[in-house]
Amino acid sequence: MALVKGNKSKPEELFAPLMAAAVYDSDPSFCRWFVEPAVYIFGRRRVMAALVDYLWNGTDAERAGAEGAGNSAHVPLRADRSPAYGPGGVRDPALDKSPDIKDSWLEASMRVFADATDLQMRHRVLLPAPLLVAEIIDRFVTLWLG
C-alpha cells in the first residue's frame, strides 16, 4: 500500500497481478488486502468488471476466488485511505458507479450457481448477504417465469 499511497498515477502493471492475487488467494478474508488497493486506485467498477470476467471465463477455482473477492470489492471508500475521498477531494465518480456491473455480477453468479455441481461453490454464491440472495432469487424468477 505504501507504493500506492506515494504514487499519483495509476500503476497499470499492478492491476492484473492484484486481481490474480485476490482470486487465487484461498482465504476470502485475506484477499481484501489485494482488492482494497485495487478499488482505491482503479475504481470499484473496473475491479468488479475483472471479477465478473473471472466468473464468466475462469476455472472453478478462479470462480470460487472471484466470488470471495467480490465481497471485498464493496469496501467503504474512506477519506483517511485516499485524499480523493476527503473534503475537496477530486475523483471521477464513474470509477465507482457500478449498477450495470452489479447486474452482470448477479447474472454471472446465477450461471455459476446453476452450473455448479459442487455444493461448496453454490454456498459461496449464496453466502454474501441475504439481500444479495433475495436479488438472485428475484432474477431467477424473472428469467424463468417471465
Side-chain angles (χ1 to χ4, degrees):
M1 195 71 166
L3 170 70
V4 171
K5 284 184 178 179
N7 194 342
K8 298 289 185 207
S9 66
K10 292 181 183 178
E12 281 298 321
E13 64 275 4
L14 292 180
F15 183 73
L18 280 171
M19 293 293 86
V23 167
Y24 287 108
D25 194 305
S26 60
D27 184 347
S29 62
F30 187 71
C31 74
R32 182 176 180 166
W33 287 99
F34 305 111
V35 174
E36 188 172 348
V39 168
Y40 276 95
I41 298 168
F42 301 103
R44 189 181 323 274
R45 177 179 186 69
R46 184 168 175 196
V47 169
M48 289 300 296
L51 295 174
V52 167
D53 188 54
Y54 275 107
L55 289 178
W56 282 117
N57 303 309
T59 64
D60 284 348
E62 289 170 335
R63 288 177 179 156
E67 286 289 347
N71 298 329
S72 297
H74 298 289
V75 295
L77 301 171
R78 302 183 340 214
D80 64 331
R81 300 273 172 103
S82 172
Y85 295 102
V90 178
R91 180 167 167 103
D92 181 2
L95 290 171
D96 299 313
K97 289 185 180 173
S98 57
D100 59 324
I101 297 297
K102 184 179 178 183
D103 288 344
S104 296
W105 178 270
L106 289 172
E107 185 179 349
S109 290
M110 286 188 298
R111 203 253 343 220
V112 168
F113 182 85
D115 291 350
T117 56
D118 179 27
L119 290 178
Q120 285 185 326
M121 177 64 84
R122 287 185 171 190
H123 182 259
R124 279 185 186 260
V125 171
L126 297 177
L127 184 64
L131 180 58
L132 181 58
V133 172
E135 287 184 51
I136 290 172
I137 291 170
D138 286 345
R139 186 67 57 94
F140 271 128
V141 169
T142 302
L143 290 174
W144 287 342
L145 302 178

